[in-house]
Amino acid sequence: MKKVTLIPQALSYAKEIHRLSQAPEVKNALGLPTQSVEDTENFIINTLMEESEGRTISRLILNEEDKLIGITTLMFIDQSNKQCHIGSWIGVDYWGQGYNLASKIELLKIAFEYLHLEVVFAGARTVNLRSQKAQEKLPFISLNIEKQFPEEHLLLEKRQKQPCILNAVFRDDFLNYLYPTQKERKI
């Protein structure tokens, strides 16, 4: 499996975040407008503010060579309901190399071992087939849970302003994947 390091958002990465996120394949999948580096800096500042308020945990994904390859984020953190949503994107040059799974594992460790959440929702626009396929490859994900969580599904579609699918990672499923035997489980 690929190795990644997750680090906090930082303005020093703004130019590279901008470059990677403006590739048409990424920009269109995320529904981003054409942005300037200054827009990206403002995005980073807003993300850091949300993180200081406990609503978001966003991390830059660095590969084995410490190159920025994308961003992964826990958002809409709801401690009272022990849930949040996860969102990620990886630069086109790094697609298909196993970084999605590696980065999800590292961020989900934060969600379940540090924040002690019970469920992390993973949504995708129905038109974003690449994101859906990437989620389907995660060995610990529960697919098509829209009927189980209709309110969450509706909120997602309102935020995205278009039809979406809803998947989720449940704490026990993830921890059983990560630690197949009880002896390994330290939580």
Side-chain angles (χ1 to χ4, degrees):
M1 181 186 322
K2 289 288 189 175
K3 283 261 195 202
V4 297
T5 303
L6 302 185
I7 64 169
Q9 291 269 3
L11 286 171
S12 60
Y13 285 90
K15 285 181 183 172
E16 187 62 5
I17 292 169
H18 177 263
R19 186 187 73 75
L20 290 171
S21 68
Q22 291 301 295
E25 301 90 339
V26 173
K27 184 171 93 166
N28 295 339
L30 295 174
L32 293 176
T34 300
Q35 295 180 306
S36 66
V37 173
E38 184 177 271
D39 294 329
T40 302
E41 290 170 346
N42 289 333
F43 165 80
I44 294 167
I45 291 166
N46 288 336
T47 300
L48 292 171
M49 285 178 26
E50 286 181 9
E51 191 155 339
S52 73
E53 296 165 357
R55 297 185 292 143
T56 295
I57 294 179
S58 186
R59 296 293 180 258
L60 303 176
I61 306 166
L62 304 182
N63 69 4
E64 302 91 342
E65 299 167 359
D66 288 331
K67 287 185 180 176
L68 176 71
I69 63 168
I71 297 176
T72 187
T73 304
L74 298 173
M75 56 197 141
F76 312 113
I77 297 171
D78 181 349
Q79 282 291 354
S80 62
N81 289 313
K82 299 286 185 198
Q83 66 187 37
C84 72
H85 284 253
I86 192 169
S88 303
W89 63 265
I90 293 175
V92 176
D93 294 344
Y94 305 98
W95 285 4
Q97 298 178 38
Y99 290 117
N100 181 54
L101 176 60
S103 63
K104 292 284 193 301
I105 287 171
E106 293 306 312
L107 194 64
L108 289 167
K109 284 179 186 178
I110 295 170
F112 296 123
E113 295 179 342
Y114 174 72
L115 296 176
H116 303 288
L117 301 178
E118 291 296 325
V119 61
V120 175
F121 296 106
R125 296 177 181 131
T126 55
V127 297
N128 189 346
L129 297 178
R130 179 170 266 290
S131 180
Q132 291 176 53
K133 295 293 181 198
Q135 289 181 23
E136 289 169 7
K137 291 178 186 176
L138 299 174
F140 39 74
I141 200 159
S142 295
L143 300 172
N144 306 111
I145 59 156
E146 297 88 358
K147 289 182 180 167
Q148 191 177 348
F149 294 93
E151 300 86 11
E152 208 60 46
H153 183 229
L154 184 61
L155 280 172
L156 176 63
E157 290 189 330
K158 281 185 178 179
R159 282 185 202 119
Q160 296 299 317
K161 298 180 175 102
Q162 58 185 286
C164 295
I165 56 103
L166 184 65
N167 301 319
V169 179
F170 294 96
R171 176 182 167 82
D172 286 344
D173 294 340
F174 178 73
L175 294 177
N176 288 335
Y177 167 81
L178 200 59
Y179 309 112
T181 67
Q182 283 299 89
K183 283 191 252 182
E184 294 176 279
R185 212 166 159 177
K186 300 170 187 155
I187 308 169

